[in-house]
Amino acid sequence: MLKIGSHVSFSDKGLLTATEEAVSYGSSTFMIYTGAPQNTRRKPIEDLYIPEGKDAMTSAGIDEIVVHAPYIINLGSYKEATFDLAVNFLQEEIRRTHKIGVRNIVLHPGAYTEKDPEYGIARIAEGLNEVLDGTKETDVNIALETMAGKGTEIGRSFEELAAIIEKVRANDRLTVCMDTCHMHDAGYDIVGDIDGVLRKFDDIVGLDRVAVVHVNDSKNPQGAAKDRHAPIGSGWIGFEAIDRVVHHEALQGRPFVLETPWIGKKERPMYEAEIAMLRADAEDRFGGEFMEDVERLHHFYAKSDVVPRQYVLQTWDLLKSDAKAKKADPREPMERLYDMIKENRVLSEDYSEEQVNQRLTASLAGKEWLAKV
């Protein structure tokens, strides 16, 4: 069975809250932070409802989840205080991850700031050696994430990840988290040549190290080095390319995790629709009326001379290249399409904003997707 889910909240009742949210989306895996990703404040492990959460996971048939390390960890820093905080806090997070019963903690490798890439690679490896030496009592792996290449971050190329891994003594505890948006933004052609990208990764790093895949569309064209996630189908990668990644034989068995942005005026995630679409069970999940509504949207697009995919990409281009136009109308592509659908009363007036956006998300997968299901 395809392991697919999303990032979920770990607040309130910890693992129990996270599991219940994941189940509400139809997930078969999920990802958590053990506390706020922007600070070091953490609840005691006893207050995280771990036994109750594990019982709920068992009931839902979820047997593997992922932890993400906080953003404030930077093992690439030349500043001793920042580096020491990163080492010590990552060790603490690994111990918490172990107590929760999770095997992989995803880590942004780090940024070299005022130094250079060679320094950053060596410094990150130095930090990982310290971290792994200090957590030998755990069986937790550190999954280095493929990065988009913004600023001075390390991990924008497969070669950089391989260079880090080579310098780490206990590198049997290093795995990799692939991120579709990051790889695309870093310049890898996952849209036109996913087979070639995976072959290259296998040659340089080894596909056996891939433990997690983050599934995100991108608001920017290939090679932009920006790292701005978009809901599935509403970006430059598109539904078809992401679907090929999720179902690629070389990646089967790994957990696929959505980190797509929440959308709408009330800010809701599209995880439930995205998961159902990628699992190819949207009709079972939402019913036949859902599919009829998606078809209705395609009829509306055709009648209005709107090509959804083209419209989305042209709008992203406009927002990036024309400051005056952006100031006049800052709405993102999905918000514009949502308003168009509401103004023309294409769907039932009884639908909530979330229900409309779920159908809109499905329509961006294209007529081909609708024909397949």
Side-chain angles (χ1 to χ4, degrees), residues 118-192:
E118 290 73 22
Y119 177 90
I121 288 166
R123 186 66 156 166
I124 291 164
E126 177 189 349
L128 289 170
N129 277 319
E130 285 193 40
V131 169
L132 293 170
D133 283 348
T135 55
K136 288 179 180 176
E137 77 282 7
T138 77
D139 61 356
V140 176
N141 299 320
I142 299 173
L144 301 174
E145 187 165 348
T146 57
M147 303 305 291
K150 71 180 189 301
T152 65
E153 65 188 13
I154 293 291
R156 58 198 160 183
S157 71
F158 302 157
E159 287 83 359
E160 286 186 344
L161 292 179
I164 293 170
I165 291 167
E166 187 181 357
K167 292 178 184 293
V168 174
R169 290 185 296 274
N171 66 21
D172 58 312
R173 285 179 60 199
L174 292 182
T175 55
V176 171
C177 171
M178 286 184 161
D179 185 301
T180 55
C181 172
H182 295 179
M183 290 192 296
H184 166 85
D185 280 24
Y188 292 101
D189 186 10
I190 66 169
V191 176

Side-chain angles (χ1 to χ4, degrees), residues 160-270:
E160 286 186 344
L161 292 179
I164 293 170
I165 291 167
E166 187 181 357
K167 292 178 184 293
V168 174
R169 290 185 296 274
N171 66 21
D172 58 312
R173 285 179 60 199
L174 292 182
T175 55
V176 171
C177 171
M178 286 184 161
D179 185 301
T180 55
C181 172
H182 295 179
M183 290 192 296
H184 166 85
D185 280 24
Y188 292 101
D189 186 10
I190 66 169
V191 176
D193 188 21
I194 184 58
D195 290 342
V197 171
L198 292 179
R199 274 196 306 272
K200 183 171 186 178
F201 184 90
D202 196 30
D203 290 342
I204 296 168
V205 180
L207 281 168
D208 58 323
R209 286 198 188 266
V210 178
V212 186
V213 182
H214 285 168
V215 185
N216 303 295
D217 213 322
S218 174
K219 293 181 180 179
N220 289 283
Q222 182 185 335
K226 294 288 187 183
D227 185 12
R228 294 189 65 215
H229 298 185
I232 305 303
S234 70
W236 284 82
I237 301 175
F239 176 83
E240 285 186 22
I242 287 175
D243 192 57
R244 285 195 292 272
V245 171
V246 168
H247 294 282
H248 200 287
E249 60 180 4
L251 298 175
Q252 291 317 290
R254 280 78 163 185
F256 293 87
V257 178
L258 293 155
E259 301 174 301
T260 49
W262 290 25
I263 62 167
K265 296 170 181 63
K266 296 180 182 176
E267 290 283 313
R268 293 288 298 160
M270 289 296 101

Side-chain angles (χ1 to χ4, degrees), residues 58 115 123 244 296:
T58 300
K115 298 291 186 176
R123 186 66 156 166
R244 285 195 292 272
R296 192 171 288 117

Side-chain angles (χ1 to χ4, degrees), residues 280-291:
D281 65 359
E283 187 166 6
D284 291 340
R285 182 79 185 175
F286 295 105
E289 189 179 6
F290 181 90
M291 310 309 290

Side-chain angles (χ1 to χ4, degrees), residues 25-171:
Y25 303 138
S27 306
S28 47
T29 187
F30 58 87
M31 184 177 75
I32 55 173
Y33 292 90
T34 77
Q38 306 89 354
N39 61 54
T40 60
R41 292 192 296 274
R42 293 292 181 267
K43 283 184 180 179
I45 203 80
E46 302 77 36
D47 295 343
L48 299 181
Y49 289 77
I50 295 171
E52 296 87 346
K54 286 185 174 179
D55 286 345
M57 284 172 58
T58 300
S59 297
I62 298 173
D63 62 5
E64 182 179 8
I65 64 171
V66 181
V67 167
H68 200 301
Y71 302 135
I72 58 172
I73 291 173
N74 181 14
L75 291 175
S77 178
Y78 68 91
K79 296 177 181 177
E80 289 303 325
T82 304
F83 180 79
D84 290 344
L85 169 69
V87 168
N88 294 330
F89 192 36
L90 182 54
Q91 286 179 336
E92 181 186 332
E93 286 290 284
I94 287 173
R95 294 184 191 107
R96 287 166 68 83
T97 299
H98 177 69
K99 287 174 182 173
I100 296 168
V102 177
R103 285 297 308 276
N104 284 284
I105 180 168
V106 175
L107 175 71
H108 293 182
Y112 57 84
T113 60
E114 296 166 35
K115 298 291 186 176
D116 56 41
E118 290 73 22
Y119 177 90
I121 288 166
R123 186 66 156 166
I124 291 164
E126 177 189 349
L128 289 170
N129 277 319
E130 285 193 40
V131 169
L132 293 170
D133 283 348
T135 55
K136 288 179 180 176
E137 77 282 7
T138 77
D139 61 356
V140 176
N141 299 320
I142 299 173
L144 301 174
E145 187 165 348
T146 57
M147 303 305 291
K150 71 180 189 301
T152 65
E153 65 188 13
I154 293 291
R156 58 198 160 183
S157 71
F158 302 157
E159 287 83 359
E160 286 186 344
L161 292 179
I164 293 170
I165 291 167
E166 187 181 357
K167 292 178 184 293
V168 174
R169 290 185 296 274
N171 66 21

